[in-house]
Amino acid sequence: MILYVLIGVLVLAVAGCACVVWAARGGPRWVRAVATVTLLGGEVARAGQRRGGRRGGGGDDGGGSD
């Protein structure tokens, strides 16, 4: 059951990304609305990650070797 939920979330994320690209090229009004919702969802997820991301001691600090 959880697999179906995860697949559904993945399909929605891919469809949202496709709508963002389509809206950037001047798609119809409903595509622009879906793209806006997708981008707002990404902003909310990033804001939540910034607030809750400082709890752990380890993690990636962005200082990798190239």
Side-chain angles (χ1 to χ4, degrees):
M1 180 65 180
I2 190 78
L3 181 64
Y4 293 126
V5 172
L6 291 175
I7 290 172
V9 169
L10 179 65
V11 167
L12 287 174
V14 169
C17 291
C19 284
V20 168
V21 171
W22 190 6
R25 295 175 177 249
R29 185 182 308 164
W30 68 269
V31 171
R32 291 191 297 267
V34 172
T36 301
V37 170
T38 301
L39 292 173
L40 286 175
E43 290 294 326
V44 168
R46 268 182 283 197
Q49 186 179 18
R50 271 187 242 128
R51 259 184 269 130
R54 300 276 184 203
R55 290 185 203 157
D60 185 20
D61 61 351
S65 61
D66 287 336

